[in-house]
Each structure stands twice: as structure tokens, then as C-alpha cells.
Amino acid sequence: MKNWVRNMKKKKIKLQHSLETGLIHGKSLTKKWDFSHHVVPPISSSCTFRLESAKRGALGFAEFAHHTDDASIASRAPIYIYDRLGEPNKEVLEENLAVAEKGDIAVTFSTGMAAVSAALGCVTGTDDEIIAHNLLYGCTYSLLTNWYPRYKILTKFVDLKDPKNIHRHINPKTRVVYFETPVNPTLELIDIRAIVEEVKKANKKRSKERKIFVIIDNTFASPYCQRPLEFGIDFVIASLTKNICGFGTDMGGVVVGPKWAYDILLLYRKDFGGALAAKSAWPLLVYGLPSLPVRMRQQMISAHAIAAFLESDPRVAFVSYPGLKSFPQYELAQQQMRDYDGKFAPGSLLYFALKGKTPKARHDQGEKFINYIAKNAYSITLAVSLGHIRSLIEHPSSMTHSAIPLSEQVKNGLDPGGIRLSIGLEKPADIIHDLAKALDRL
Ligand SMILES: *Cc1c(COP(=O)(O)O)cnc(C)c1O
């Protein structure tokens, strides 16, 4: 292999390949790990690493999270010391995740929530404030309302669908603007570019030390369908458990962001301890990320067919899917949800509701529908999570969002009859068959 490297350097061969092929082969040659005789990176399963001398050990500790310049991140062969600090499977995966999100660097974590905590934890401190969209993933909402107030970090929940709302809530304490788009479970979109513009305006009047960062949770769309860093967002976080794992076998999270944040994210992971297990990094690296584009492409074809089927059924009140022409923010969807080739990529999640005269009637219809699916459907499973090769269905009103009283659900735009459907790799006709049977039983 060494000869090959030398020849490549001499000839200055520039590797020309698509990003999608890159997710399968990675960097091909990486300083993170020399596995020249394996086609697939071998699974690394050692918590601690042999150090040839005390001097090398000392160098390893000195170098950890001390990247002296931008080039040292890519060019320095790491001295692995202990799994929580860094380990080959994770680091090769991190290189590929940075490519997938088109970011400078990526740091992985044990779960999506560990990644959310790390991104927010690295850029906030006591007396800072966060502006967040008023509808968030439940555990993120809980982190911001149950835990951060203990450290005197307060969150203002604002409707970011109108980006101008930011200015009414910005003050000298503001440090972060945080949101998800598409929003869970309604699939409404937030205009990423417009938010970046508004925050830029505010940052012009602020010192570099008090800059406001924009952080986005890109779990729903996946990097195949949306790359917020290209629009000027500072940090992307994602749960690897969902679309990127794809097979529902491993949990993980990632923060992708600028080079300057690499060391602080590594230090945060070292001290708070939410390191991705090597045994989970490996399937994400070998199966999950390489198959993301082909899975998403197929799931989007199915999602479109299923959305059209539901939309045409008189018992369905509405279908929210960013790929439908009837989607209220169809134009925005086309602007910001694009695959690696620039094609429209509206994702694999649907949200729809059944008709009913009152909120209570719609809630009961939704529950009845879901219960029928749980008992009788073959191709759709009642379960939370999403981005799985198996289609998963859930009823937010009685499940994930049941803590919110019905009247409040209605106020927040959450339809009590609303059903969230994550489309998997089954034949769309089979999914439609199961849905049609459940509709007939209403
Ligand atoms: C699942 C999820 C998370 C949390 O990820 P875990 O891997 O379960 O910790 C965060 N954000 C969104 C949008 C999610 O769907």
C-alpha cells in the first residue's frame, strides 16, 4: 500500500468520484486506520490500545484534542489510547459522516440525544439563552425545559416558521437558535436560508465571543435529502439511530460542524462520556451510511405513491408530505430538500389525519386505525423511531405527544387524528394494501 500512496502522490492523481460512491469507499486511504489488506474495515473491539513507550503515551495525551492547525485533523495518524477518546471504527465513520453532511468535521456520540447535548453543551454556559422552535423532538424539549434551567440556561420557544420572530426574542444573552426541519410530526418546514440571514443580521452587531450559532437537527431528512451546512448553518446534529443506521440495529448520534469545534467536541465527549460504541460504529460504517442513498431513493418513490393513495381517499382529512403538490410549503421544500445530484428529495415520512367532526372524534379514529394496523398489518409495524427499512407507524396524539392536553395539541397544529408513517423498503403495493384494509375497518 505504501508504494501505491507514493505513486499517487508523485502522479498527483486527483480522485474523481461522486459523493455517493464516497460513502461506500470512504477516503480509501485514511490516516485514521491502516487496514490495507481488508476490503471492509475490520471491526475494532479493544477498549484500550498498546503504547510502545511512555514517550509515545505522553505524545498521545498531548496530541489528543490538540489539533494545532486545520491540516493536522486529516493528516495526523492518531495515537489511539482509550476508546472514549477515539478508536479507529468511529474515526473512519466520522470522516464519512462529515463528507455526507458536507461539513469540515464530525464527532460521533452514543445516541442522538448525546449529540444534541454535546452541540448545545459546547456553545452555551450559565446565563446564556437559546431560541428554539415551539415544536421539538420530545427528549430535546425535556433537555431544554427540565435540565438546562438548573444551569440557568433558558430557552424561549418561538414559531420559527416566521424567521422574523427571532428578532423579538434576541437579547445579549442569546447564544443559539435551534430547530428541526421537517418538524416532527407535522412535517412543516422551516426556511433554513431565511433563519441564517436573520441570525447573520443580528451577529453583525455582536462581538465574535457572543456570536449566535444556528444548530439544526437533520435527523428527519437525513443528509441525503438535506444538507443545512451548505446554507450557512453552524452545526448539524443527527440521530444515527434513524435514517443513517436504517436497519434499526444500532444507536448513535453525530455533530457535524466547523474545524474549530473539533477539539472541544472531542473533549466534551471524553468528559461527559457519551462515546459511540465501536461495535455500533462498525455497522453504521459498513452497512448504514453506504446504503443510505439507495434506501432513501426507494423509500421516496414509495412515500410518494402512498401519499397520493391516501390523499385520494375520502376518509382521509389531509396528507402532509413535502413531495405532494398540495403541500403548503411545496416551493420551500423544493428549495431546501435536494439529493446529492440536486434532485428534489422530500424524504420518507408522511403525516396524515382521518376525518372526524370533533378533535375527540378524530383522536378516536386515529387510535382505532393504529390499533387495527398493530393487530392485522403485515408490512407496517406500530413502533416509534423512523428511517427503518421496515415501515413504522405511530399515533402522536395518544403516544409520543400524549402529555400535551388535546386542546393544546390542536393549538400547536397537532391534529388529534394525526398519524405518522415512516416508509420502509417494502413494496409500496403491500403498504397500500395494509392501509386500505385499515381504512375499510373505520
Ligand atoms: C430520535 C431522534 C432524536 C434522538 O435520537 P436517539 O438516537 O434516539 O437518542 C433526536 N432528534 C430527532 C428528530 C429524532 O427523531
Side-chain angles (χ1 to χ4, degrees), residues 111-113 137 180 217 219-220 239 241-242 251-252 386:
T111 62
M113 281 317 300
Y137 180 71
E180 300 156 13
D217 178 339
T219 303
F220 258 47
S239 166
T241 317
K242 314 292 171 59
M251 300 200 87
L386 54 106

Side-chain angles (χ1 to χ4, degrees), residues 315 368 372 376 436-442:
R315 291 159 294 193
K368 200 172 154 195
Y372 183 84
N376 303 288
K437 263 180 41 194
L439 282 168
D440 287 344
R441 286 303 177 98
L442 287 176

Side-chain angles (χ1 to χ4, degrees), residues 180-192:
E180 300 156 13
T181 179
V183 174
N184 175 17
T186 61
L187 301 183
E188 289 170 307
L189 304 185
I190 291 169
D191 188 336
I192 303 173

Side-chain angles (χ1 to χ4, degrees), residues 320-331:
S320 178
Y321 176 58
L324 284 178
K325 290 223 168 71
S326 60
F327 185 70
Q329 297 164 294
Y330 185 63
E331 248 178 63

